[in-house]
Amino acid sequence: MIDVATVLAGKYPAKAHAKAVVKWMRQKNPNVTGVLYLEGQKTRMIEDNDSEAPFRQRRYFYYLTGCQLPDSYFTYDIGTDKSTLFIPPIEPESVIWSGLPVSEEEALSTYNVDNVRTTNEVAAALAHGGSTVWAIQDQVSDHITFLEFDDKDYTLLKLAIEECRVIKDEYEIALTKKANSISTVAHTAVLKAVKTATNERELEALFIQKCIANGAREQAYHSIVASGTAGATLHYVNNAQPLEGKLNLLLDAGGEYQCYASDITRAFPINGKFSTESRAIYDIVLEMQLVCIDMLKEGVIWDDVHLKAHEIAIDGLLKLGILQGSKEDILKTRTSVAFFPHGLGHYLGMDTHDTGGHPNYEDKDTIFRYLRVRGALPAGAIITVEPGIYFCRFIIEPYLRDPVHAAYINFDVLNKYWEVGGVRIEDNILITKDGYENLTTAVKDVGEMEKLING
Ligand code: GLY
Ligand code: MN
Ligand code: MN
């Protein structure tokens, strides 16, 4: 177990990331040498307006620099093992508007790089040339030509960073924990407010307020604050409907801390007490989640864990009478996909749906089509475990019209569940050699949730 504050008191380990990336590239091609070249995201203006668009640093750049400054550049000389960060110089004209920018000295003490220079020196630095320059397609400015290099490669660096990002180091784990702990404060605040709130938008505002006040200025993704049947819309974004008369709230929301995401979902009763039907579905989803989490350790095949979640869903829905027939047949026909249509989870990191999962969205097998991670889980990966059961007419009704599936669904029983909407429970799990660590501490026990809601 790491102490978050102690770890985060150090620097983001950008240099170690550069070395890991080169090591990965050399496994593909032992002759890799030359210079890695990356550009940060540029300052962009809102169309037809004199304000800047919200800034989001490029993740490839951040991974090798830990630097959130816009309009910056980076080189890493593989042969000499020297990294250089190029930051915008002081422009006297803009100081009056924006204040002083970060100086080279400040940057050198903040970031884990060997040298800091200003961006007007990038072209001259590259003029030394070398064997190969490794860059990312469409992420090289027009004024950068690489003329002095013998060779240019625009593919391997991107792939290498995407693959290396899967395995998190101590610092990245600490950042994810921090994002999780802030988001837990925000989730708890929403639980406490849901009974008296009148509209989804009040709860979205409260969630964001708590994140910002506790140090997570950005959201990892657009919050899903879905009341009643809206909970069955997987990526619901409206967040502006009244709560009155609805059973449950599905809150899928996570703050981002220094470019690292959290991604947490809870579902709970708006009036503080689950209805019989809601509680029954919640209990199934919680069992899906707890059993799946307990399966996790290095080397486990994610596809198997996902299948296990379906098996538990089928068992539970058979018990309730929503499904009928044999478990084996239902698994074979993939009828449970009607109720659990998405994958069990995805890698989490600088992107909410992080890189390196190797999904196959063309998979003919519907149960695996939306699984964002395929194959064995390595130690050091952080993955979400987010089973759900949804009552979405748009998804379920085609199954009811298809005789292959309709035979396994009891329409009369199903009819009692539409108002449940959707239940999803989502935690962020670190895979370890012998098991896992759950980085999410937001409550999910029914008794504890109901107690918080009722004050
Ligand atoms: N919040 C998006 C997801 O859970 O994948
Ligand atoms: Mn997720
Ligand atoms: Mn989520």
Side-chain angles (χ1 to χ4, degrees), residues 275-379:
S275 70
T276 307
E277 289 77 17
S278 299
R279 174 68 194 259
I281 299 303
Y282 189 88
D283 286 346
I284 297 172
V285 176
L286 186 59
E287 194 192 342
M288 290 160 78
Q289 202 216 25
L290 295 176
V291 170
C292 288
I293 290 175
D294 252 359
M295 291 171 72
L296 298 178
K297 64 174 185 174
E298 180 183 31
V300 162
I301 307 296
W302 186 240
D303 314 47
D304 295 343
V305 188
H306 176 71
L307 262 189
K308 185 72 182 173
H310 270 273
E311 285 189 42
I312 297 167
I314 294 168
D315 284 336
L317 294 173
L318 278 170
K319 223 176 195 169
L320 294 181
I322 296 173
L323 290 176
Q324 57 197 8
S326 95
K327 176 180 173 181
E328 291 67 34
D329 290 347
I330 293 168
L331 197 58
K332 218 178 282 164
T333 53
R334 305 311 202 200
T335 305
S336 55
V337 174
F339 300 93
F340 175 26
H342 60 77
L344 182 63
H346 48 84
Y347 287 142
L348 180 77
M350 286 186 285
D351 289 313
T352 303
H353 296 157
D354 214 26
T355 53
H358 306 292
N360 175 12
Y361 299 126
E362 309 294 318
D363 199 324
K364 297 265 184 294
D365 188 343
T366 55
I367 214 165
F368 295 116
R369 187 171 299 157
Y370 298 114
L371 196 55
R372 293 180 192 268
V373 174
R374 302 297 293 266
L377 303 179

Side-chain angles (χ1 to χ4, degrees), residues 229-241:
T229 55
T233 301
L234 298 183
H235 285 170
Y236 176 77
V237 292
N238 174 281
N239 296 357
Q241 294 303 308

Side-chain angles (χ1 to χ4, degrees), residues 35-40 42 58 71-75 86 118-127 133-136 138-149 152 154:
V35 173
L36 308 186
Y37 173 83
L38 290 166
E39 294 188 5
K42 304 282 189 274
R58 268 192 189 136
D71 307 311
S72 299
Y73 298 74
F74 172 80
T75 59
F86 299 87
T118 49
T119 53
N120 42 357
E121 299 176 86
V122 176
L126 290 170
V133 61
W134 309 86
I136 295 180
D138 301 326
Q139 296 191 1
V140 178
S141 298
D142 291 344
H143 72 281
I144 301 294
T145 58
F146 301 141
L147 280 177
E148 310 302 324
F149 286 89
K152 301 175 242 192
Y154 290 108

